[in-house]
Amino acid sequence: MDELTSLVDRLAAEHSLSIEEYERLVRDHDEDVAAYAADLAVKVRKDVYGNKVFVRGLIEFSSFCKRDCDYCGLRRSIRRDDRYRLTTEQILECTDEGYANGLRTFVLQSGEDPYWTDERLCDLIRAIKERHPDCAVTISVGERSRESYQRLLDAGADRYLLRHEAANPAYYRKIHPADMSHDERMSCIRDLKDVGFTVGVGFMVGSPHQTPYDLACDLKFIEEFKPHMCGIGPFVSHHATPYANEPNGSVDLTCFLLSLMRLIQPNLLIPATTSLGTLDPKGREKGMLSGANVVMPNLSPKSVRESYDLYDNKVSNGQEAAEGTALLRASMEAIGYEVVVDRGDPA
C-alpha cells in the first residue's frame, strides 16, 4: 500500500504517471488506497470548485443511430418499434422546463441520426440560444466532419461531448464494428478542440475484455489530451446486444478512476453518471465523494425516457429526472455539496 499511495501522492503533485504506473494502480489498489485517493481528489476539487455541483439538463432527442456498437442498446441491428425523434418544439419545451428549475446548461444527446443535418441542428441551437441566451448548449451527436463541427460552433453551441470509448486502439477494435475507426474517432476529438469547442470525452469501466492496461491508456490519454470534461461510468449490459450476458462493471473501480482523473487534471469537469446510480442507489453520491462535480438530470419527456435505453435498467425517474430537482439538491446537501444555478464553465 505504501508504494501505491506514493504513486497517488506523486500524481497529485505532478499530474502525471507512466502508463505502467497507472496500470499498477488500477490492477493492485485496494479499499484503503481508493479511500486515500478519494480524500485527495475531494480536497483538490474543493480547491478549484469549492462545494459547487453543476447541473446539466440532458435531452435525449433521437434514439435512431446508424452505428452498430456491440455494447449499445441503440445499435442499428436491434429491431425495435419505439425509436423516436423529438420535434424542435418538444426540445424547446424541455429547455423551458429546465430553465425554470434552475438549469443553465442543456445537453442535446442522440444516436448518430442522419436526419439531424447541420442545417436542422444549427436551427435548433439558434432557437435555444434565442430563448435562453444565458445558457450553455452542449451537443453530443457523434462523429461528424470538421466543417460540421465549425458550423455547430458558429450557430452558438458551446460544448461538444464525444466519448473516445477506448484510448488503446486494439481495445477499441474489440468493442466496435469494422466500419468504425479509432483513428477517425481521435481525429474528430482533435478537430473539436481545434475549432474551439469546450470538449468532453469519456469511456466505460469494466466493459467486456477490458484490462487494467486498457484503462491505464485511458488515464494517460486524459493526462495528455487535457479535455475540459470527462464522463466515465461502469459498463451495464443490454439484453439485445452481443454483450447481454457479460457482467456489469464496478462502481468502486469507477469511483477510484474518478479520483485519479481529478488528480490528473484538477479543473476537469467530471459528472457522476447515470450508470453509477443504475448499479448503486448511492452511486451518484459516491461519485461526488470521489471527486466528481457535475450531475445530469434527464429533461427528456417522460414518454420517451425508457426508449433511450443505452443499457438495461437505466435510471429515468426520481433524482435522475428533472422533476426530482428538489431530491437531487437534498441528496447533494446531505453530503456537503451545493447545487448551484450556473453554466458551470471550466475553471
Side-chain angles (χ1 to χ4, degrees):
M1 176 180 170
D2 289 343
E3 292 182 10
L4 294 181
T5 54
S6 294
L7 286 178
V8 172
D9 283 336
R10 184 150 59 85
L11 181 61
E14 301 176 6
H15 314 301
S16 176
L17 293 174
S18 68
I19 287 182
E20 292 74 21
E21 289 167 331
Y22 283 129
E23 181 181 13
R24 186 174 177 205
L25 280 173
V26 174
R27 185 187 62 235
D28 296 338
H29 75 280
D30 57 18
E31 290 183 6
D32 290 337
V33 174
Y36 184 76
D39 287 344
L40 284 181
V42 168
K43 181 180 183 304
V44 168
R45 183 212 120 111
K46 289 183 177 180
D47 287 344
V48 178
Y49 291 109
N51 289 326
K52 294 179 180 178
V53 175
F54 300 127
V55 185
R56 318 317 199 178
L58 177 63
I59 305 170
E60 297 160 333
F61 67 97
S62 173
S63 65
F64 287 89
C65 190
K66 68 181 183 180
R67 300 295 189 183
D68 210 27
C69 302
D70 290 348
Y71 48 82
C72 183
L74 300 187
R75 66 195 309 258
R76 68 170 186 263
S77 291
I78 301 176
R79 295 181 179 273
R80 49 191 302 172
D81 298 325
D82 61 346
R83 294 191 190 265
Y84 69 89
R85 294 185 182 101
L86 298 182
T87 65
T88 296
E89 189 54 42
Q90 284 177 306
I91 296 168
L92 291 173
E93 288 173 1
C94 292
T95 65
D96 291 346
E97 177 189 355
Y99 195 89
N101 278 285
L103 279 63
R104 296 297 180 265
T105 291
F106 304 116
V107 180
L108 305 180
Q109 183 180 79
S110 75
E112 292 200 26
D113 181 358
Y115 171 84
W116 282 97
T117 61
D118 288 350
E119 182 179 7
R120 287 188 172 113
L121 276 175
C122 287
D123 285 347
L124 173 61
I125 292 164
R126 283 190 284 264
I128 295 172
K129 282 290 192 171
E130 182 177 350
R131 206 128 155 179
H132 304 294
D134 57 332
C135 292
V137 174
T138 301
I139 305 296
S140 182
V141 295
E143 295 180 9
R144 302 173 81 93
S145 68
R146 184 187 180 101
E147 293 74 22
S148 175
Y149 294 146
Q150 186 68 62
R151 292 185 194 106
L152 299 180
L153 185 72
D154 291 343
D158 303 275
R159 305 167 184 157
Y160 201 104
L161 303 180
L162 181 61
R163 298 199 335 170
H164 67 280
E165 303 294 0
N168 179 6
Y171 184 60
Y172 185 93
R173 288 192 293 271
K174 285 182 180 179
I175 60 175
H176 291 91
D179 64 350
M180 294 187 69
S181 160
H182 182 265
D183 287 345
E184 179 64 23
R185 178 60 59 115
M186 291 301 186
S187 177
C188 287
I189 290 170
R190 289 192 296 271
D191 284 345
L192 286 164
K193 202 172 192 182
D194 287 346
V195 302
F197 268 113
T198 298
V199 180
V201 297
F203 56 95
M204 294 178 293
V205 179
S207 45
H209 318 300
Q210 190 181 59
T211 67
Y213 176 77
D214 296 323
L215 291 170
C217 291
D218 290 316
L219 293 173
K220 193 66 177 178
F221 169 69
I222 300 304
E223 174 194 313
E224 294 177 344
F225 180 71
K226 295 180 173 56
H228 304 92
M229 304 169 280
C230 185
I232 69 172
F235 166 77
V236 185
S237 64
H238 187 283
H239 65 277
T241 69
Y243 295 152
N245 298 316
E246 294 289 341
N248 293 328
S250 164
V251 169
D252 289 342
L253 176 56
T254 301
C255 288
F256 179 58
L257 297 178
L258 289 176
S259 298
L260 297 185
M261 292 196 315
R262 176 62 64 199
L263 298 179
I264 290 170
Q265 189 173 329
N267 71 335
L268 192 63
L269 292 164
I270 305 175
T273 55
T274 304
S275 55
L276 284 169
T278 295
L279 295 184
D280 185 333
K282 291 294 184 182
R284 179 158 28 205
E285 288 84 349
K286 289 180 179 179
M288 284 292 164
L289 294 171
S290 300
N293 65 327
V294 174
V295 290
M296 296 173 64
N298 199 328
L299 287 175
S300 306
K302 292 180 183 180
S303 59
V304 302
R305 284 181 197 160
E306 292 186 2
S307 299
Y308 201 86
D309 56 339
L310 302 173
Y311 45 81
D312 286 344
N313 303 313
K314 180 168 172 271
V315 178
S316 60
N317 49 39
Q319 290 182 41
E320 167 57 23
E323 56 270 21
T325 302
L327 291 173
L328 172 62
R329 292 180 187 278
S331 70
M332 293 297 104
E333 289 172 0
I335 58 173
Y337 294 100
E338 176 190 6
V339 173
V340 294
V341 177
D342 196 302
R343 281 169 45 115
D345 292 311

